Amino acid sequence: MSAITPNDSSASLRNAWLVTIALLVLFTLWRMPIAAGLPLSVDESYYIAWSKTPDFGYWTKPPLIAWAIGLVRSVCGDSAACVRTVPLSAFALSTLLMFALARQLGAKAWTACFAACAFISLPLTAFYGIAATTDSLLLLFWISTMWLLRRALEGGRSIWLLVGLSAGLGLLSKYSMGIFALSGLLCLLHPQWRHWLRSPWPYLAAVTAAIVFAPNLWWNLTHGSPTLNHTAEISQNSGYGLHPAALAGFLGAQFLMAGPVLLCAFALWFMQRTRKPTANDWYLLAFALPFLAVISLQALLSRAHANWAAPTYVAVTLAAVLFLAARHPRWLALSFAFNLAMTSALYHFDFLIAQPFHLARSVKTDPYWALRNWPGFIEQVRKAAIAHGAAEDFAVASDDRAVLAQLQANLPLPAGAALGWQRGIKPQNHFDQRFRLPAKPAGAVLLVTRATDSEVLQAFPKAKSAGQATSNQISDRPLAFNLWWIGS
């Protein structure tokens, strides 16, 4: 693979771009009604709640996802369709950048088109392309930083500052962007690029990234480091040790993230390229292996969710497509067909799988089980407020952050109207930290809790029961909370 963008005819390059854009538009149009029709997840609702109080940091994640959601909410409102324009837009831009990155790595125009289309059709992007989470922004800035870095390595000195800017925005999306520094350092160890270590530009890029990231670091230091502590806690889980079963489960899940065809193609490419890697081979190896190795080690020592290694699949997809396009182009079509089948099964699960096979909804049989119960539950809480004569002018309180997030996002509650009932010594979430329920709340406050009657009355002696809010669309994971009016 050449380090310089190959020469294609202008017609070939234009047509490849047009096909890429056309497929991207089709995928986006396919995803839009799916994204609009699904209830918001707890994490998405949590980020919406954050977006109502702009800040440089939040309890569990850096702030960029909240900023992005706040921006689109200011334009089109609070609906799921509006909020999920964030991942739809992020993956659209990521796909175009995949085309540009493939070209920068020496791919011909149509191979770059195949790489972009392979990326937009990955099972990984199918799932996170309709969810307003941090992964869509992380992948966007991971790809943009890879593209900018590859350009900078060819002599674009000022581009190093853009590398730092993009990396800093990635850190504001998700802290795992920090692994990019390891991959970037490995790139600079290649003989063709080692001279950059004697220049100031890579270090200026690092300083730029640090400056962009500094507001979040300052916020953590002045707020007791909740995001940093949370990141450490979820990584450690119940403690470190050896968990080979967790590692096996994580590695097995990677075949679902990228699809077996692309992963097998990457393995074949890897076995051939490790002997005498070109500069571009080295580049792809540096961005494929370290991230996967770090998260695999995390899975072995504690736990790791399948999506934690998502940025690995940028380089994996590029390497696999370059390999297949040159040697086994029919396998590219097979990979695309497999990914389309997986995406169709996910997006149209009820019609294609649940109904034909008469599957009852449960945690094990429904990929959307975590979303199903919330709409009915939220509606019951809304009716309880109406029955009390407080349809709009009221606040909610809970000792459950999922409840507060869903109610804050789905009811017409202003910022600060979802109050955390902190029952322990330390805050446990954003609401405990930012909007703690006072001992004597003023106004109409609806407490939603699983606490016993005696526990509620001990804390709020004048509390009045308002019944229950329940929902059992997923029968083996029902929602059931007691409702109490506790305000003055």
Side-chain angles (χ1 to χ4, degrees):
M1 291 181 290
S2 171
I4 302 173
T5 302
N7 292 321
D8 287 285
S9 69
S10 58
S12 177
L13 181 58
R14 182 182 66 252
N15 291 337
W17 268 115
L18 288 175
V19 169
T20 301
I21 293 171
L23 286 174
L24 175 57
V25 169
L26 288 175
F27 265 91
T28 303
L29 291 174
W30 185 15
R31 288 174 177 172
M32 286 175 66
I34 307 300
L38 288 171
L40 293 166
S41 70
V42 169
D43 282 347
E44 290 175 302
S45 297
Y46 208 25
Y47 304 148
I48 292 171
W50 293 355
S51 74
K52 295 184 177 183
T53 53
D55 210 336
F56 287 120
Y58 298 94
W59 187 261
T60 59
K61 294 289 189 297
L64 197 60
I65 183 64
W67 295 352
I69 289 174
L71 177 62
V72 299
R73 284 181 56 248
S74 68
V75 175
C76 54
D78 293 328
S79 67
C82 177
V83 169
R84 287 172 177 152
T85 58
V86 172
L88 290 170
S89 302
F91 275 108
L93 291 173
S94 296
T95 302
L96 298 177
L97 285 169
M98 279 290 285
F99 186 106
L101 176 57
R103 292 283 291 167
Q104 196 67 38
L105 290 168
K108 293 183 179 179
W110 285 107
T111 303
C113 173
F114 297 152
C117 294
F119 175 78
I120 195 63
S121 67
L122 289 177
L124 169 75
T125 58
F127 185 84
Y128 288 101
I130 57 172
T133 68
T134 55
D135 292 274
S136 61
L137 297 178
L138 170 65
L139 283 167
L140 171 61
F141 290 110
W142 185 273
I143 297 171
S144 69
T145 312
M146 279 186 67
W147 173 60
L148 290 166
L149 176 60
R150 189 63 190 85
R151 293 185 62 194
L153 290 171
E154 292 307 311
R157 294 184 176 182
S158 60
I159 297 177
W160 283 100
L161 300 180
L162 295 178
V163 171
L165 173 63
S166 182
L169 291 172
L171 285 169
L172 290 178
S173 303
K174 200 170 185 178
Y175 290 158
S176 53
M177 183 72 189
I179 299 176
F180 193 98
L182 174 60
S183 293
L185 178 59
L186 288 175
C187 286
L188 294 177
L189 294 179
H190 189 273
Q192 183 172 318
W193 300 320
R194 202 172 295 163
H195 67 279
W196 284 109
L197 292 172
R198 298 188 298 272
S199 79
W201 293 102
Y203 309 102
L204 288 174
V207 170
T208 302
I211 291 173
V212 174
F213 179 62
N216 179 249
L217 182 60
W218 171 85
W219 181 91
N220 269 279
L221 294 176
T222 55
H223 289 77
S225 302
T227 321
L228 299 174
N229 291 336
H230 172 79
T231 302
E233 288 170 2
I234 63 171
S235 298
Q236 184 177 356
N237 197 21
S238 59
Y240 286 112
L242 292 179
H243 304 280
L247 174 61
F250 168 76
L251 293 176
Q254 301 315 300
F255 282 89
L256 291 178
M257 294 290 100
V261 178
L262 285 181
L263 275 186
C264 290
F266 174 77
L268 292 173
W269 173 87
F270 174 77
M271 288 187 289
Q272 294 185 7
R273 298 295 180 172
T274 49
R275 297 174 185 175
K276 292 183 178 180
T278 65
N280 281 332
D281 296 336
W282 182 271
Y283 192 83
L284 290 173
L285 287 168
F287 282 99
L289 299 184
F291 209 115
L292 184 61
V294 169
I295 305 302
S296 295
L297 180 62
Q298 167 66 32
L300 176 63
L301 297 179
S302 180
R303 67 161 184 171
H305 294 302
N307 67 298
W308 287 6
T312 291
Y313 295 103
V314 175
V316 165
T317 299
L318 285 166
V321 169
L322 289 167
F323 175 79
L324 292 177
R327 303 193 178 202
H328 306 285
R330 291 183 179 180
W331 286 87
L332 270 178
L334 178 62
S335 172
F336 194 66
F338 176 86
N339 290 345
L340 282 179
M342 290 286 291
T343 301
S344 298
L346 175 66
Y347 287 174
H348 308 288
F349 177 81
D350 286 344
F351 177 72
L352 294 178
I353 297 177
Q355 294 175 13
F357 293 97
H358 306 288
L359 294 179
R361 287 178 175 174
S362 71
V363 172
K364 293 183 178 180
T365 62
D366 190 341
Y368 302 111
W369 68 267
L371 314 180
R372 301 288 193 188
N373 280 329
W374 287 111
F377 173 82
I378 294 164
E379 179 62 17
Q380 289 189 36
V381 172
R382 188 186 69 83
K383 289 180 177 179
I386 293 174
H388 190 72
E392 295 183 1
D393 188 17
F394 74 105
V396 295
S398 183
D399 50 355
D400 188 305
R401 72 107 180 175
V403 167
L404 289 172
Q406 288 284 3
L407 296 179
Q408 175 80 89
N410 290 282
L411 293 179
L413 298 174
L419 309 174
W421 182 22
Q422 182 182 321
R423 301 177 65 188
I425 297 175
K426 296 181 179 180
Q428 298 299 311
N429 54 61
H430 164 78
F431 303 101
D432 288 355
Q433 177 205 38
R434 189 74 179 267
F435 302 108
R436 184 176 176 180
L437 176 66
K440 295 182 179 181
V445 179
L446 181 61
L447 177 65
V448 186
T449 181
R450 286 194 175 106
T452 64
D453 293 0
S454 59
E455 289 173 326
V456 172
L457 292 171
Q458 183 179 2
F460 308 101
K462 297 182 179 180
K464 295 180 181 179
S465 175
Q468 275 195 329
T470 62
S471 183
N472 61 350
Q473 287 289 314
I474 303 298
S475 58
D476 54 345
R477 198 63 62 87
L479 294 176
F481 286 83
N482 299 317
L483 305 180
W484 298 82
W485 287 105
I486 60 173
S488 57

